[in-house]
Amino acid sequence: MTTDELKIKAIEYRKKLLYYIKNAGAGHTGGSLSCIDIISVLYNKVLNVSPDNFKDPLRDRYIQSKGHSVEALYVVLAACGFFPEPDLETMCRYRSHYVGHPTRKVNGIEQNTGALGHGLSVSVGMALAAKLNKQGYKVFTLLGDGELTEGSNWEAALSASHYNLDNLTAIVDYNGLQITGPTSEVCKTDPLDLKFSAFGWSVEQVDGHDFEEMVRIFNGTPFRKGQPSVIIAHTIKGKGVSFMEGEKKWHHGVPDDGLYRKAMHELDKRMELIR
Amino acid sequence: MSKEYPKGKANLEVLSETLQGLAANDRDILVVTSDSRGSGKLVPFGERFSDQIIEIGIAEQNLVGVSAGLASAGKKVFAVSPACFLATRALEQIKNDIAYSDNPVKLIGISAGVSYGALGSTHHSLHDYAALRAINNLAVLAPADNFETRRSIEQANEMNLPVYIRFGKKPMPHLHDENTEFVIGKGIRIKDGDDLAIIATGECVFPALLAADNLENGHGLKIRVISMHTVKPLDKDMLMEAAEECRGIITVEEHSVHGGLGEACASCLLQNGYGLPFRIIGIPDEYTVSGSQSEIFNHYGITGESIAETAFNLINIK
Ligand SMILES: Cc1ncc(C[n+]2csc(CCOP(=O)(O)OP(=O)(O)O)c2C)c(N)n1
Ligand SMILES: [Mg+2]
């Protein structure tokens, strides 16, 4: 997939995730829009995982620790053929497997998440198992910047460097917002790069909406042999829909009919420009 | 004719106004949150009492530990966080820093039970009674309506003891008038009857009442309904009185059938020599079905009709 194709996908995925959130009447809109480009790059350009090899012990793993952005993951997994996209019509409905956080009842999902601060520890275990089994797969996990205040992340960060897990990469969706407001006001976590490097990780920064840069950096892991890698992805919460960008109320806001049409219209316009 | 219960608001909505009432008269009241002030509808509290709210960030273990420290210095602390994360993510902090160390923090578990519905099991608290009942020196409450919610918060504030209070975010009808006596540790008999007793807690009290009305209208049965808002310490006297006077007992809770109100009642009854028809209605030990709170209630028979059916069958077994 070329960069231009990724840019087209970025708009298609956004339209789909908005459609399914609107249809379900629930969803974590802002965070899904902020990480959709990251997930797209992972599944389309980085991870060795597909519906064909999903049972293969040697497949790469992706653990979405910020489970609330499940809509973005569902849309990308469907596009990769893990399940038929129309299944998502049932999202959040009675008896549907497509609930508001990832579960392994959905093909393609490795781990049930949704309570923040679990994904990194589980990823450490998966990466450590690869080392013990002398297997070459890689483990990627996506963390929220607000999520990083969960202390468990820092326990996991210590284990990862202690065991020299250079097959593990954590990506931080660094959008600067959480539910209450700016992460810097809720509980400061900056400077993240210095914290991770003090914990024995090698750190890169990336624009989380720049496909060329992400493809290059995501494929450049490990950044240093013997060290886990962390990528601080600078993103915009609500990215792609002007009135959602940087607005905390869209964390789990669902657009009404008018705003939904407005959002779709904006995305269509953008598509015309790049086509 | 089925009795009408006047509409109320979500118990969650009562939290902010009650805490504002308390904070206005007491500078030591502190609300401590974990990126949860929006979910707790506490934004108005935060605006009015900006120096009586402490934000911890998404870190429930830290939330509870910090709350313990604040309480040890004489602050009257309400730690507010979704019940699913508060009760068990921070379980060891609750056990050691609060209950064992006698720090009288009030733990407020919001959006409890299956209130978060289709967000899935990570967000359900169907195990909090079980986990917390086993901890000494901690009262466990699930108020049924706005009145019980307000009174439990106010009374917990007066008590120099650790208390856990959990409730949901769906509007609840008013079940009591304002003069009803509310005492932590004492159940409330909402309806009299001696054919059967339904003992329910939290948001299950309302369907229990509907079931009682249903059985009365349909079968002329007299059903006693008890709001057992305090799951621990259990009102054993009221429970044993029901066992003496009624032909059977049903418990209803928005919790796993393991380790909650039902098993607490069963244990008390059996150990005091009571053997009578008895059923526990709750969420069975399986992957909880997905859906909204009311779909989940429907699925597991926590509705007026379904409870009535269980009750009817129970008193008709010899
Ligand atoms: C343990 C835990 N505590 C609280 C929550 C509720 N919650 C869901 S999303 C969220 C904010 C997350 O912020 P951030 O990690 O920055 O995610 P993003 O901005 O990417 O949406 C919170 C507090 C949760 N899911 N898990
Ligand atoms: Mg964020």
Side-chain angles (χ1 to χ4, degrees):
Chain A
M1 203 176 277
T2 65
T3 306
D4 282 342
E5 284 167 332
L6 283 170
K7 285 183 184 162
I8 290 172
K9 286 266 177 251
I11 296 173
E12 287 173 359
Y13 290 159
R14 283 185 165 80
K15 288 186 64 180
K16 286 184 177 171
L17 77 83
L18 287 172
Y19 169 79
Y20 288 113
I21 286 174
K22 175 79 177 138
N23 185 59
H28 287 84
T29 314
S32 280
L33 289 169
S34 94
C35 67
I36 184 82
D37 297 335
I38 296 170
I39 301 175
S40 171
V41 168
L42 285 170
Y43 278 89
N44 289 309
K45 300 294 285 184
V46 179
L47 298 172
N48 170 31
V49 66
S50 69
D52 298 329
N53 77 349
F54 190 59
K55 295 269 171 317
D56 182 349
L58 298 182
R59 72 191 181 283
D60 289 339
R61 271 54 159 189
Y62 169 66
I63 309 300
Q64 188 164 308
S65 191
K66 47 163 282 189
H68 57 281
S69 300
V70 72
E71 303 87 12
L73 179 58
Y74 284 157
V75 162
V76 174
L77 289 178
C80 294
F82 281 93
F83 53 81
E85 195 198 291
D87 282 9
L88 294 176
E89 295 283 347
T90 69
M91 198 169 91
C92 292
R93 299 263 193 273
Y94 179 51
R95 293 198 127 143
S96 171
H97 289 332
Y98 300 87
V99 296
H101 289 92
T103 83
R104 295 175 71 178
K105 292 206 167 126
V106 172
N107 193 34
I109 289 178
E110 296 278 0
Q111 175 69 19
N112 296 12
T113 54
L116 295 167
H118 288 248
L120 191 56
S121 293
V122 176
S123 300
V124 164
M126 290 176 171
L128 185 55
K131 294 283 182 192
L132 295 171
N133 294 335
K134 305 210 177 342
Q135 290 166 328
Y137 66 80
K138 289 183 168 184
V139 183
F140 287 81
T141 186
L142 180 66
L143 308 168
D145 50 359
E147 177 182 9
L148 284 176
T149 46
E150 288 286 0
S152 51
N153 288 300
W154 302 97
E155 299 179 17
L158 289 171
S159 303
S161 63
H162 181 79
Y163 288 105
N164 306 313
L165 299 180
D166 57 6
N167 52 353
L168 171 66
T169 301
I171 302 170
V172 179
D173 184 353
Y174 189 68
N175 58 27
L177 278 180
Q178 52 195 103
I179 299 181
T180 304
T183 300
S184 56
E185 290 173 18
V186 173
C187 179
K188 279 189 287 292
T189 51
D190 284 341
L192 269 187
D193 52 345
L194 297 184
K195 289 195 173 75
F196 272 104
S197 55
F199 276 64
W201 290 55
S202 46
V203 188
E204 288 284 347
Q205 313 261 352
V206 74
D207 175 339
H209 304 298
D210 181 325
F211 291 104
E212 247 162 73
E213 208 181 309
M214 280 195 282
V215 171
R216 181 171 54 78
I217 293 193
F218 290 11
N219 281 312
T221 64
F223 303 134
R224 201 168 305 137
K225 204 173 155 22
Q227 282 195 344
S229 310
V230 61
I231 298 166
I232 300 171
H234 294 255
T235 53
I236 295 171
K237 203 156 174 171
K239 170 75 177 177
V241 179
S242 60
F243 58 89
M244 293 183 179
E245 289 189 359
E247 290 290 335
K248 68 174 180 182
K249 75 167 180 190
W250 290 103
H251 174 79
H252 40 28
V254 177
D256 64 18
D257 292 346
L259 288 179
Y260 175 72
R261 274 197 301 276
K262 195 169 164 203
M264 289 308 218
H265 183 69
E266 267 189 26
L267 291 165
D268 287 336
K269 274 266 164 335
R270 198 152 312 157
M271 187 72 102
E272 280 167 25
L273 286 178
I274 60 169
R275 271 241 164 91
Chain B
M1 262 279 300
S2 180
K3 189 167 176 252
E4 290 289 319
Y5 296 93
K7 277 203 182 75
K9 47 192 153 191
N11 291 341
L12 181 58
E13 307 267 358
V14 176
L15 176 66
S16 181
E17 47 185 59
T18 309
L19 288 176
Q20 287 186 56
L22 296 174
N25 299 312
D26 188 346
R27 300 280 301 143
D28 280 331
I29 297 276
L30 279 183
V31 169
V32 191
T33 52
S34 54
D35 199 13
S36 47
R37 82 178 64 187
S39 316
K41 308 256 185 234
L42 290 166
V43 173
F45 180 98
E47 282 163 1
R48 189 166 155 210
F49 299 100
S50 56
D51 50 358
Q52 285 174 259
I53 187 162
I54 309 266
E55 177 60 59
I56 296 294
I58 311 169
E60 294 77 11
Q61 296 176 304
N62 195 31
L63 168 85
V64 174
V66 170
S67 296
L70 288 164
S72 77
K75 293 295 180 190
K76 297 182 181 160
V77 183
F78 289 81
V80 183
S81 190
C84 52
F85 310 126
L86 180 65
T88 47
R89 184 63 164 274
L91 186 57
E92 197 173 78
Q93 280 76 11
I94 294 176
K95 169 180 159 251
N96 293 347
D97 307 341
I98 293 188
Y100 184 39
S101 303
D102 279 315
N103 285 312
V105 172
K106 315 308 166 198
L107 300 156
I108 309 293
I110 56 174
S111 302
V114 293
S115 296
Y116 279 128
L119 290 187
S121 289
T122 50
H123 283 58
H124 296 166
S125 52
L126 294 173
H127 51 307
D128 50 347
Y129 303 159
L132 300 179
R133 272 182 63 225
I135 294 176
N136 163 54
N137 191 32
L138 178 66
V140 177
L141 273 83
D145 70 347
N146 296 175
F147 165 81
E148 288 189 15
T149 304
R150 183 160 36 77
R151 297 308 276 264
S152 51
I153 294 167
E154 287 168 352
Q155 244 174 58
N157 184 51
E158 299 292 313
M159 290 164 55
N160 196 27
L161 288 170
V163 181
Y164 171 77
I165 306 174
R166 64 107 114 166
F167 42 76
K169 62 195 184 102
K170 187 181 74 178
M172 294 308 292
H174 295 295
L175 308 179
H176 306 286
D177 65 55
E178 285 291 315
N179 305 320
T180 305
E181 195 190 14
F182 180 94
V183 181
I184 289 180
K186 296 274 165 238
I188 303 176
R189 197 199 282 204
I190 307 183
K191 206 173 172 310
D192 282 324
D194 51 16
D195 284 317
L196 181 106
I198 308 180
I199 302 178
T201 191
E203 306 205 351
C204 296
V205 176
F206 179 53
L209 274 168
L210 295 180
D213 291 343
N214 195 315
L215 288 163
E216 182 161 346
N217 297 329
H219 303 281
L221 291 168
K222 291 280 176 215
I223 309 294
R224 180 177 307 190
V225 178
I226 293 169
S227 171
M228 201 59 99
H229 48 73
T230 308
V231 175
K232 190 194 172 189
L234 189 67
D235 187 345
K236 293 183 176 165
D237 293 337
M238 189 171 279
L239 172 63
M240 290 192 282
E241 185 184 45
E244 294 278 356
E245 296 170 1
C246 303
R247 288 195 277 144
I249 291 179
I250 288 187
T251 64
V252 197
E253 63 199 299
E254 188 178 359
H255 186 273
S256 165
V257 293
H258 292 290
L261 173 71
E263 286 193 353
C265 292
S267 157
C268 166
L269 291 174
L270 203 55
Q271 294 192 75
N272 285 285
Y274 294 97
L276 74 168
F278 184 85
R279 283 283 178 283
I280 297 174
I281 298 178
I283 310 292
D285 187 22
E286 63 179 36
Y287 293 106
T288 307
V289 74
S290 57
S292 66
Q293 182 190 37
S294 57
E295 286 164 338
I296 296 172
F297 273 25
N298 258 316
H299 185 87
Y300 293 118
I302 309 178
T303 61
E305 276 159 37
S306 208
I307 297 169
E309 194 181 315
T310 307
F312 188 74
N313 292 336
L314 186 68
I315 12 190
N316 286 315
I317 45 174
K318 289 283 156 318

